[in-house]
Amino acid sequence: MFFAFCVIHFLWFDATPPEYHRASYASIINSTIWNTALLLAIARRKSWARLIMLTILGLGIAGGLAVTPMLFEIPAFLTIHLITLGILAISFAWLLYSRDIRRLVGRDYE
């Protein structure tokens, strides 16, 4: 999942014009730190981390779907945007339905 998020960051960084690269550094660093922290917390069997990660992914998908109609005029961004939404949706579904993740953070399996 971490590598999927890295792919998303790379695609967006590659698609933005060079004059905006400086502004996107902070966003990439912030997202990487929080994704790493939450994924490590999930690996350490903290159930709250899974819920926070699901909330963040859900808000990202909802925000992405709200922005999609505005991107129809820019095909390059639309393609990357749809790839990003797909990766986020797959990550959301995996965190929500995976038996391995539920066993890792669930209290039913202790």
Side-chain angles (χ1 to χ4, degrees):
M1 186 181 287
F2 180 77
F3 293 114
F5 294 140
C6 289
V7 167
I8 290 172
H9 293 308
F10 173 75
L11 288 174
W12 277 104
F13 186 76
D14 190 46
T16 56
E19 59 268 9
Y20 296 117
H21 281 185
R22 202 154 209 230
S24 61
Y25 287 140
S27 174
I28 290 172
I29 291 170
N30 188 22
S31 294
T32 303
I33 289 171
W34 278 106
N35 287 333
T36 303
L38 288 171
L39 289 173
L40 284 174
I42 289 172
R44 295 187 59 150
R45 298 182 180 263
K46 306 294 183 191
S47 60
W48 54 265
R50 176 177 168 255
L51 297 175
I52 292 173
M53 189 71 135
L54 283 170
T55 303
I56 291 171
L57 288 172
L59 289 173
I61 293 168
L65 289 174
V67 173
T68 301
M70 290 184 266
L71 293 176
F72 281 126
E73 297 142 6
I74 312 168
F77 281 130
L78 182 64
T79 304
I80 291 171
H81 183 71
L82 293 177
I83 291 170
T84 300
L85 283 178
I87 292 173
L88 290 178
I90 290 169
S91 299
F92 184 86
W94 183 68
L95 270 177
L96 191 61
Y97 295 116
S98 174
R99 256 190 263 155
D100 295 333
I101 295 293
R102 274 199 234 154
R103 189 172 345 134
L104 184 65
V105 297
R107 297 189 190 275
D108 299 335
Y109 297 99
E110 291 180 354

Short mmCIF file of all heavy atoms in Angstrom, two decimals, residues 3 12 16 19 24 29 33 36 42-43 55 58-59 63 66 68 73 76-77 79 81 83 87-88 91 95 98 104:
data_model
loop_
_atom_site.label_atom_id
_atom_site.label_comp_id
_atom_site.label_asym_id
_atom_site.label_seq_id
_atom_site.Cartn_x
_atom_site.Cartn_y
_atom_site.Cartn_z
N PHE A 3 3.75 1.63 -1.36
CA PHE A 3 4.27 1.86 -2.71
C PHE A 3 3.20 2.40 -3.65
O PHE A 3 3.49 3.19 -4.55
CB PHE A 3 4.88 0.57 -3.26
CG PHE A 3 6.11 0.15 -2.52
CD1 PHE A 3 6.12 -1.01 -1.77
CD2 PHE A 3 7.25 0.94 -2.53
CE1 PHE A 3 7.25 -1.38 -1.07
CE2 PHE A 3 8.38 0.57 -1.83
CZ PHE A 3 8.38 -0.59 -1.09
N TRP A 12 1.41 12.57 -9.73
CA TRP A 12 0.98 13.96 -9.59
C TRP A 12 2.15 14.91 -9.72
O TRP A 12 2.02 15.99 -10.31
CB TRP A 12 0.25 14.17 -8.27
CG TRP A 12 -1.18 13.78 -8.37
CD1 TRP A 12 -1.75 12.66 -7.89
CD2 TRP A 12 -2.20 14.50 -9.06
NE1 TRP A 12 -3.08 12.62 -8.22
CE2 TRP A 12 -3.39 13.74 -8.93
CE3 TRP A 12 -2.26 15.68 -9.76
CZ2 TRP A 12 -4.59 14.15 -9.48
CZ3 TRP A 12 -3.46 16.09 -10.30
CH2 TRP A 12 -4.60 15.33 -10.17
N THR A 16 2.39 17.86 -12.76
CA THR A 16 2.32 19.29 -12.48
C THR A 16 3.39 20.04 -13.25
O THR A 16 4.47 19.52 -13.49
CB THR A 16 2.50 19.58 -10.97
OG1 THR A 16 3.72 19.01 -10.54
CG2 THR A 16 1.35 19.04 -10.17
N GLU A 19 6.88 24.93 -12.55
CA GLU A 19 6.82 26.09 -11.65
C GLU A 19 6.03 25.79 -10.37
O GLU A 19 6.13 26.53 -9.39
CB GLU A 19 6.23 27.31 -12.34
CG GLU A 19 4.84 27.14 -12.89
CD GLU A 19 4.82 26.68 -14.35
OE1 GLU A 19 5.87 26.35 -14.90
OE2 GLU A 19 3.73 26.67 -14.90
N SER A 24 4.55 21.59 -4.31
CA SER A 24 4.09 20.22 -4.06
C SER A 24 5.03 19.42 -3.17
O SER A 24 4.65 18.36 -2.69
CB SER A 24 3.86 19.50 -5.39
OG SER A 24 5.05 19.41 -6.11
N ILE A 29 5.80 15.40 1.19
CA ILE A 29 6.47 15.05 2.45
C ILE A 29 5.44 14.81 3.55
O ILE A 29 5.53 13.82 4.31
CB ILE A 29 7.48 16.13 2.85
CG1 ILE A 29 8.66 16.11 1.86
CG2 ILE A 29 7.97 15.94 4.27
CD1 ILE A 29 9.60 17.28 2.00
N ILE A 33 4.85 11.15 5.41
CA ILE A 33 5.01 10.99 6.86
C ILE A 33 3.75 10.39 7.48
O ILE A 33 3.82 9.43 8.26
CB ILE A 33 5.38 12.33 7.51
CG1 ILE A 33 6.81 12.71 7.13
CG2 ILE A 33 5.23 12.26 9.02
CD1 ILE A 33 7.21 14.11 7.54
N THR A 36 3.15 6.73 6.35
CA THR A 36 4.10 5.85 7.02
C THR A 36 3.70 5.63 8.48
O THR A 36 3.71 4.50 8.97
CB THR A 36 5.53 6.44 6.94
OG1 THR A 36 5.86 6.65 5.57
CG2 THR A 36 6.53 5.51 7.58
N ILE A 42 -0.74 0.43 12.05
CA ILE A 42 -1.53 -0.75 11.67
C ILE A 42 -0.69 -2.01 11.86
O ILE A 42 -1.17 -3.02 12.38
CB ILE A 42 -2.05 -0.63 10.23
CG1 ILE A 42 -3.14 0.44 10.15
CG2 ILE A 42 -2.59 -1.96 9.73
CD1 ILE A 42 -3.58 0.77 8.74
N ALA A 43 0.57 -1.95 11.46
CA ALA A 43 1.45 -3.11 11.62
C ALA A 43 1.69 -3.43 13.10
O ALA A 43 1.96 -4.58 13.45
CB ALA A 43 2.77 -2.86 10.91
N THR A 55 -10.78 6.73 7.06
CA THR A 55 -11.40 8.05 7.00
C THR A 55 -10.68 8.95 6.00
O THR A 55 -11.31 9.62 5.17
CB THR A 55 -11.40 8.71 8.39
OG1 THR A 55 -12.08 7.86 9.30
CG2 THR A 55 -12.06 10.07 8.36
N GLY A 58 -11.35 7.69 2.49
CA GLY A 58 -12.73 8.00 2.11
C GLY A 58 -12.91 9.47 1.76
O GLY A 58 -13.58 9.81 0.77
N LEU A 59 -12.32 10.35 2.56
CA LEU A 59 -12.40 11.78 2.25
C LEU A 59 -11.65 12.11 0.96
O LEU A 59 -12.10 12.96 0.18
CB LEU A 59 -11.83 12.60 3.41
CG LEU A 59 -12.68 12.63 4.68
CD1 LEU A 59 -11.92 13.34 5.79
CD2 LEU A 59 -14.01 13.29 4.41
N GLY A 63 -13.55 13.75 -2.16
CA GLY A 63 -13.03 15.01 -2.72
C GLY A 63 -12.63 14.85 -4.18
O GLY A 63 -12.87 15.73 -5.00
N ALA A 66 -15.65 14.82 -6.36
CA ALA A 66 -16.24 16.15 -6.48
C ALA A 66 -15.48 17.01 -7.48
O ALA A 66 -16.07 17.87 -8.14
CB ALA A 66 -16.26 16.84 -5.12
N THR A 68 -13.72 15.82 -10.13
CA THR A 68 -13.62 15.18 -11.44
C THR A 68 -14.29 15.96 -12.58
O THR A 68 -13.68 16.10 -13.65
CB THR A 68 -14.17 13.74 -11.37
OG1 THR A 68 -13.42 13.02 -10.40
CG2 THR A 68 -14.08 13.04 -12.71
N GLU A 73 -11.70 19.15 -19.01
CA GLU A 73 -11.06 20.00 -20.01
C GLU A 73 -9.56 19.74 -20.11
O GLU A 73 -8.91 20.16 -21.06
CB GLU A 73 -11.32 21.47 -19.68
CG GLU A 73 -12.77 21.83 -19.73
CD GLU A 73 -13.13 22.81 -18.64
OE1 GLU A 73 -12.25 23.28 -17.93
OE2 GLU A 73 -14.34 23.08 -18.51
N ALA A 76 -4.79 15.27 -19.61
CA ALA A 76 -3.62 14.69 -18.93
C ALA A 76 -3.88 14.57 -17.43
O ALA A 76 -3.57 13.56 -16.81
CB ALA A 76 -2.39 15.55 -19.18
N PHE A 77 -4.46 15.60 -16.83
CA PHE A 77 -4.78 15.55 -15.41
C PHE A 77 -5.93 14.58 -15.14
O PHE A 77 -5.97 13.94 -14.10
CB PHE A 77 -5.14 16.93 -14.87
CG PHE A 77 -3.95 17.79 -14.58
CD1 PHE A 77 -3.88 19.07 -15.05
CD2 PHE A 77 -2.90 17.31 -13.81
CE1 PHE A 77 -2.79 19.88 -14.78
CE2 PHE A 77 -1.80 18.09 -13.53
CZ PHE A 77 -1.74 19.39 -14.02
N THR A 79 -6.63 11.75 -16.64
CA THR A 79 -6.11 10.38 -16.63
C THR A 79 -5.42 10.07 -15.31
O THR A 79 -5.70 9.04 -14.68
CB THR A 79 -5.12 10.18 -17.79
OG1 THR A 79 -5.77 10.51 -19.01
CG2 THR A 79 -4.63 8.75 -17.84
N HIS A 81 -5.80 11.64 -12.52
CA HIS A 81 -6.81 11.74 -11.47
C HIS A 81 -7.60 10.44 -11.36
O HIS A 81 -7.85 9.96 -10.25
CB HIS A 81 -7.73 12.93 -11.78
CG HIS A 81 -8.76 13.17 -10.74
ND1 HIS A 81 -8.45 13.67 -9.50
CD2 HIS A 81 -10.10 12.98 -10.75
CE1 HIS A 81 -9.56 13.78 -8.79
NE2 HIS A 81 -10.57 13.37 -9.54
N ILE A 83 -6.60 7.44 -12.31
CA ILE A 83 -5.69 6.42 -11.78
C ILE A 83 -5.56 6.58 -10.27
O ILE A 83 -5.59 5.59 -9.52
CB ILE A 83 -4.31 6.52 -12.47
CG1 ILE A 83 -4.41 6.09 -13.93
CG2 ILE A 83 -3.26 5.69 -11.74
CD1 ILE A 83 -3.17 6.38 -14.75
N ILE A 87 -6.57 3.80 -7.39
CA ILE A 87 -5.65 3.30 -6.37
C ILE A 87 -6.21 3.56 -4.97
O ILE A 87 -6.14 2.69 -4.09
CB ILE A 87 -4.25 3.93 -6.54
CG1 ILE A 87 -3.60 3.41 -7.83
CG2 ILE A 87 -3.35 3.62 -5.34
CD1 ILE A 87 -2.30 4.10 -8.19
N LEU A 88 -6.77 4.74 -4.74
CA LEU A 88 -7.36 5.04 -3.44
C LEU A 88 -8.55 4.13 -3.14
O LEU A 88 -8.72 3.66 -2.01
CB LEU A 88 -7.78 6.50 -3.37
CG LEU A 88 -6.67 7.54 -3.33
CD1 LEU A 88 -7.27 8.94 -3.32
CD2 LEU A 88 -5.77 7.34 -2.14
N SER A 91 -7.26 0.67 -2.28
CA SER A 91 -6.68 0.69 -0.93
C SER A 91 -7.77 0.74 0.13
O SER A 91 -7.67 0.05 1.15
CB SER A 91 -5.76 1.91 -0.77
OG SER A 91 -4.71 1.86 -1.68
N LEU A 95 -8.35 -2.21 2.90
CA LEU A 95 -8.34 -1.96 4.34
C LEU A 95 -9.67 -2.32 5.00
O LEU A 95 -9.71 -2.73 6.15
CB LEU A 95 -8.04 -0.48 4.61
CG LEU A 95 -6.59 -0.09 4.77
CD1 LEU A 95 -6.48 1.42 4.96
CD2 LEU A 95 -5.93 -0.81 5.90
N SER A 98 -10.21 -6.73 4.02
CA SER A 98 -9.16 -7.74 4.12
C SER A 98 -9.23 -8.49 5.45
O SER A 98 -9.25 -7.90 6.52
CB SER A 98 -7.79 -7.06 3.99
OG SER A 98 -6.77 -8.00 4.23
N LEU A 104 -5.17 -8.64 12.02
CA LEU A 104 -4.05 -7.91 12.58
C LEU A 104 -4.49 -6.90 13.63
O LEU A 104 -3.87 -6.78 14.68
CB LEU A 104 -3.28 -7.20 11.46
CG LEU A 104 -2.00 -6.46 11.81
CD1 LEU A 104 -0.96 -7.47 12.29
CD2 LEU A 104 -1.49 -5.70 10.62
#
